[in-house]
């Protein structure tokens, strides 16, 4: 009669034997995926240095790198501010603010990012500027020319596409980051706000000095991930003819018909930036955890 | 109420509902400046709610609270000004975990009282010495024991120079060997003449420090008397029952 398997064995399946071989276990835990990424980088450097067509493509496309970086940095900074305000609005005691915050987030989440970029840059921004101009003229007509001047200073034809792209990215990402901020603030126990308020601090002071420092610390990894995602999504601004690496690569490919060269190079560029930034985010996360 | 100026806390006919739950069913209470009041009662009797209504952490459903003659409302300016005069100590300490002990004590002095950094730090050190842990000034709350955390919390409240101190079961979350260090600080404070309202089950503290003891049940004040009167001569059946349950051992 066969022995009945013990309860433990039936639940966890057959026992895995390592036979005390540290080499085998080290092989199985080695980050092969990372080696793969490094191989891609080495291969990219190799073809750029050895093949004329790739080197030309690289030299042309690299002029888009600063644009990609500054569009991402400015948009992310703006998006953080919008996200913080919208997140605070979402948990506000004011019915009006709460609804405005939720409305904004739901609208943005319900529209594809590409469509939003077109809409914000080509419809929303011009409408707002038109509105400001009209208000300025109305002020002018009513003898308030000194005030009207402020609203007439910006004209649609003077709003560069880069600025529209930044506004579009920031407004879009602000909605996602609002939810991150809201969750971060709500992760702080009620007692913290009560303790701060019981000392006579106002709601704003309690947020500023007690809740937000703790909340931001908690959500730093999530914010880092949003930043990495924004590096990638900044490629969408190429549809506005902003000369980021995606747009420059499209121009190069269209002109030279070297599609493989152009798109391989931007793919590797994005991959490199994203992997490096992800490693940085992990490092920061580990630092924070060590400090706790 | 022969001399109303002396009544630093006046709660008039306070009702508080949480949805359908009635936490307070018409509680009136006056506290004379310098007196120590201990509030006892079974859990759910409304003692903590009463305490939290005094500094308006909970807004009463109806009724009025006067602090030193000032009617409490939801006007934020009045709230903040009045709360600065009322220190509160919580069951779970509620220290700010991202700040050191000293920073915990300086923050509100700085932000609310507008004291300079140096002045606030000096006062913080005095208060930390008063509660007996000046050596922990640069330590984060996570590195402190429960008793030490609660003493920092008391120092944080005292640094605002409050006229009133509210204690919401300050020793309930502490290990037995740490209860004494917190009670000693509270006892000192009582002897220095601080007006205190304490929700506490520490009968020893009530006997030693309280001028008046309140027994609450079902959102009502059942008995309001002296410690001696409550422990040795309770009038109401509910009070006797409660005391027999907690004093059995």
């Amino acid at each position: 009669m066969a022995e009945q398997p013990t309860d433990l064995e039936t639940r966890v399946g057959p026992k895995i034997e390592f036979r005390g071989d540290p080499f085998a276990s080290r092989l199985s835990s080695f980050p092969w995926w990372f080696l793969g990424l490094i191989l891609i980088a080495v291969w990219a450097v190799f073809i750029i240095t050895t093949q004329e067509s790739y080197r030309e493509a690289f030299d042309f496309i690299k002029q888009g790198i600063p644009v990609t970086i500054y569009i991402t940095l400015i948009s992310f900074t703006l998006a953080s501010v919008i996200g913080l305000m919208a997140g605070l609005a979402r948990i506000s005691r004011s019915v009006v603010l709460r609804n405005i915050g939720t409305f904004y987030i739901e609208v943005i989440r319900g529209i594809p990012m590409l469509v939003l970029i077109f809409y914000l840059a080509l419809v929303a921004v011009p409408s707002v500027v038109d509105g400001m101009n009209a208000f300025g003229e109305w002020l002018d007509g009513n003898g308030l020319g000194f005030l009207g001047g402020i609203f007439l200073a910006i004209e649609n034809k003077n709003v560069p596409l880069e600025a529209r792209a930044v506004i579009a990215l920031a407004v879009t990402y602000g909605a996602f980051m609002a939810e991150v901020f809201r969750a971060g603030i709500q992760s702080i126990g009620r007692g913290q706000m009560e303790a701060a308020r019981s000392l006579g601090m106002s709601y704003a002071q309690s947020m500023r000095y007690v809740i937000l420092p703790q909340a931001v610390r908690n959500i730093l990894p999530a914010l880092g991930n949003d930043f990495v995602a924004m590096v990638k999504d900044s490629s969408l601004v190429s549809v506005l003819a902003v000369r980021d690496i995606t747009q420059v690569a499209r121009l190069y490919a269209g002109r030279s018909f070297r599609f493989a060269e152009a798109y391989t190079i931007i793919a590797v560029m994005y991959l490199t930036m994203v992997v490096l930034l992800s490693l940085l985010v992990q490092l920061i996360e580990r630092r924070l955890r060590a400090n706790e | 109420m022969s001399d109303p100026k002396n009544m630093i806390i006046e709660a008039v006919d306070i009702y508080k509902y949480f949805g359908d739950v009635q936490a307070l069913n018409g509680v009136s209470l006056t506290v004379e400046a310098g007196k120590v009041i201990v509030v006892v009662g079974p859990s759910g009797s409304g003692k903590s709610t009463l305490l939290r209504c005094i500094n308006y952490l909970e807004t009463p459903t109806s009724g009025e609270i006067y602090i030193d003659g000032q009617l409490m409302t939801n006007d934020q300016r009045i709230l903040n000004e009045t709360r600065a005069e009322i220190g509160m100590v919580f069951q779970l300490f509620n220290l700010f975990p991202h700040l050191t002990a000293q920073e915990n004590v300086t923050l509100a002095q700085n932000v609310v009282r507008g004291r300079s950094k140096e002045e606030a730090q000096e006062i913080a050190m005095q208060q930390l010495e008063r509660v007996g842990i000046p050596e922990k000034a640069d330590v984060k709350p996570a590195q402190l024991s429960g008793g030490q955390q609660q003493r920092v919390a008391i120092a944080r409240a005292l640094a605002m120079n409050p006229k009133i101190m509210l204690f919401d079961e300050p020793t309930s979350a502490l290990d037995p060997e740490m209860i004494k260090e917190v009670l000693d600080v509270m006892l000192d404070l009582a002897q220095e003449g601080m007006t205190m309202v304490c929700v506490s089950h520490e009968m020893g503290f009530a006997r030693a420090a309280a001028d008046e003891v309140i027994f609450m049940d079902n959102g009502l004040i059942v008995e309001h008397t002296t410690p001696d009167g409550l422990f040795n001569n309770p009038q109401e059946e509910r009070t006797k029952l409660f005391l027999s349950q907690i004093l059995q051992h």
Side-chain angles (χ1 to χ4, degrees):
Chain A
M1 206 166 82
E3 256 182 68
Q4 288 289 317
T6 67
D7 195 37
L8 189 71
E9 274 169 333
T10 49
R11 263 190 283 127
V12 299
K15 214 165 151 191
I16 298 162
E17 297 257 350
F18 279 110
R19 293 195 186 83
D21 186 348
F23 184 65
S25 83
R26 231 183 291 157
L27 273 187
S28 63
S29 61
F30 186 82
W32 297 103
W33 60 272
F34 195 68
L35 187 67
L37 291 176
I38 289 173
L39 284 178
I40 289 178
V42 170
W43 167 74
V45 170
F46 177 73
I47 55 171
I48 288 166
T49 47
T50 56
Q51 296 197 28
E52 187 63 28
S53 63
Y54 275 87
R55 202 179 57 240
E56 269 181 40
F58 178 77
D59 283 341
F60 191 80
I61 293 167
K62 74 179 182 197
Q63 59 178 307
I65 292 176
V67 178
T68 290
I69 290 174
Y70 85 70
I71 292 267
T72 307
L73 281 176
I74 299 173
S75 304
F76 188 78
T77 310
L78 264 180
S80 303
V81 175
I82 296 174
L84 175 59
M85 292 195 307
L88 286 171
R90 278 269 280 168
I91 53 169
S92 161
R93 262 191 306 185
S94 147
V95 180
V96 177
L97 280 179
R98 218 164 49 222
N99 278 285
I100 290 175
T102 310
F103 178 79
Y104 159 63
I105 291 163
E106 291 301 325
V107 166
I108 299 292
R109 284 207 297 204
I111 301 173
M113 205 177 287
L114 184 59
V115 176
L116 267 174
I117 303 267
F118 277 126
Y119 192 88
L120 288 166
L122 304 175
V123 183
V125 170
S127 307
V128 170
V129 174
D130 279 343
M132 279 167 59
N133 290 166
F135 184 59
E137 267 159 36
W138 179 83
L139 285 177
D140 250 358
N142 287 278
L144 293 161
F146 60 97
L147 271 177
I150 301 167
F151 294 95
L152 292 168
I154 307 168
E155 277 180 70
N156 261 321
K157 61 173 193 281
N158 297 334
V159 181
L161 280 166
E162 282 84 356
R164 295 174 191 225
V166 163
I167 291 169
L169 270 182
V171 169
T172 307
Y173 259 70
F176 297 106
M177 292 172 69
E179 289 297 86
V180 174
F181 276 108
R182 180 191 57 75
I185 292 168
Q186 287 182 333
S187 74
I188 306 302
R190 245 182 72 163
Q192 291 290 306
M193 181 57 93
E194 287 181 352
R197 295 306 303 271
S198 78
L199 288 163
M201 291 164 73
S202 69
Y203 179 82
Q205 287 169 337
S206 308
M207 270 290 165
R208 158 85 179 74
Y209 295 105
V210 176
I211 308 295
L212 282 178
Q214 298 179 59
V216 168
R217 204 184 143 96
N218 285 354
I219 62 174
L220 222 46
L223 292 180
N225 288 335
D226 275 347
F227 184 74
V228 173
M230 195 178 231
V231 170
K232 291 186 287 177
D233 283 333
S234 72
S235 69
L236 288 170
V237 304
S238 64
V239 299
L240 301 173
V242 172
R243 293 171 72 91
D244 75 326
I245 55 175
T246 305
Q247 174 64 3
V248 177
R250 280 171 60 191
L251 288 175
Y252 183 77
R255 215 172 52 191
S256 64
F257 296 105
R258 287 175 177 165
F259 292 102
E261 286 86 342
Y263 290 117
T264 303
I265 280 169
I266 52 166
V268 172
M269 279 180 177
Y270 279 118
L271 188 59
T272 310
M273 286 192 278
V274 166
V275 169
L276 289 179
L277 285 170
S278 301
L279 287 175
L280 192 70
V281 170
Q282 277 181 33
L283 201 78
I284 294 169
E285 210 178 331
R286 218 170 292 168
R287 272 271 180 81
L288 281 178
R289 230 179 287 149
N291 272 343
E292 262 161 23
Chain B
M1 287 227 280
S2 53
D3 180 10
K5 269 180 215 151
N6 218 6
M7 292 302 169
I8 196 158
I9 304 173
E10 283 182 75
V12 185
D13 209 18
I14 303 296
Y15 285 81
K16 176 66 185 177
Y17 303 157
F18 294 105
D20 289 338
V21 182
Q22 300 196 344
L24 294 175
N25 280 324
V27 171
S28 294
L29 171 71
T30 53
V31 178
E32 202 180 321
K35 294 285 188 216
V36 176
I37 316 289
V38 171
V39 185
V40 298
S43 68
S45 59
K47 356 181 250 305
S48 284
T49 307
L50 175 62
L51 204 68
R52 294 162 59 86
C53 279
I54 290 174
N55 69 351
Y56 251 53
L57 278 187
E58 304 286 357
T59 309
T61 309
S62 73
E64 287 168 346
I65 305 272
Y66 296 88
I67 301 296
D68 214 4
Q70 169 68 57
L71 174 67
M72 293 291 268
T73 66
N74 267 325
D75 180 298
Q76 292 295 310
R77 195 182 54 81
I78 292 174
L79 265 193
N80 296 336
E81 278 175 14
T82 316
R83 279 178 180 156
E85 308 297 333
I86 309 173
M88 186 158 195
V89 176
F90 299 86
Q91 184 178 358
L92 296 173
F93 330 132
N94 293 346
L95 289 181
F96 307 135
H98 60 301
L99 302 177
T100 65
Q102 191 183 19
E103 287 165 345
N104 264 280
V105 185
T106 53
L107 177 63
Q109 293 189 60
N110 203 300
V111 173
V112 179
R113 289 276 190 244
R115 291 176 188 155
S116 72
K117 199 178 154 200
E118 295 72 28
E119 193 190 357
Q121 280 175 343
E122 202 187 311
I123 293 171
M125 284 315 293
Q126 288 167 7
Q127 295 303 339
L128 287 173
E129 263 161 47
R130 184 176 184 179
V131 300
I133 38 172
E135 74 279 5
K136 299 288 184 189
D138 296 323
V139 174
K140 293 262 176 79
Q143 262 100 42
L144 296 172
S145 73
Q148 290 169 335
Q149 288 193 49
Q150 194 61 297
R151 285 189 281 161
V152 174
I154 295 173
R156 176 175 71 178
L158 290 177
M160 299 294 287
N161 306 112
K163 294 177 187 153
I164 302 163
M165 285 287 286
L166 307 177
F167 291 84
D168 190 2
E169 304 203 26
T171 56
S172 298
L174 295 177
D175 291 332
E177 73 269 25
M178 292 168 184
I179 290 176
K180 186 176 176 296
E181 63 190 52
V182 172
L183 289 180
D184 283 347
V185 171
M186 290 170 64
L187 213 55
D188 284 348
L189 208 53
Q191 278 155 5
E192 286 165 30
M194 174 64 77
T195 308
M196 294 163 70
V197 182
C198 315
V199 172
S200 176
H201 291 128
E202 300 298 334
M203 295 304 153
F205 173 76
R207 280 183 208 271
D211 296 299
E212 298 165 30
V213 181
I214 289 171
F215 173 69
M216 285 185 73
D217 194 19
N218 279 330
L220 284 168
I221 292 180
V222 177
E223 248 177 274
H224 184 165
T225 175
T226 60
D228 191 49
L230 191 87
F231 293 121
N232 301 330
N233 189 20
Q235 300 297 310
E236 302 285 331
E237 277 311 310
R238 277 184 290 178
T239 319
K240 288 176 191 165
L241 183 66
F242 175 75
L243 288 173
S244 74
Q245 277 162 349
I246 62 162
L247 295 177
Q248 227 161 33
H249 299 288

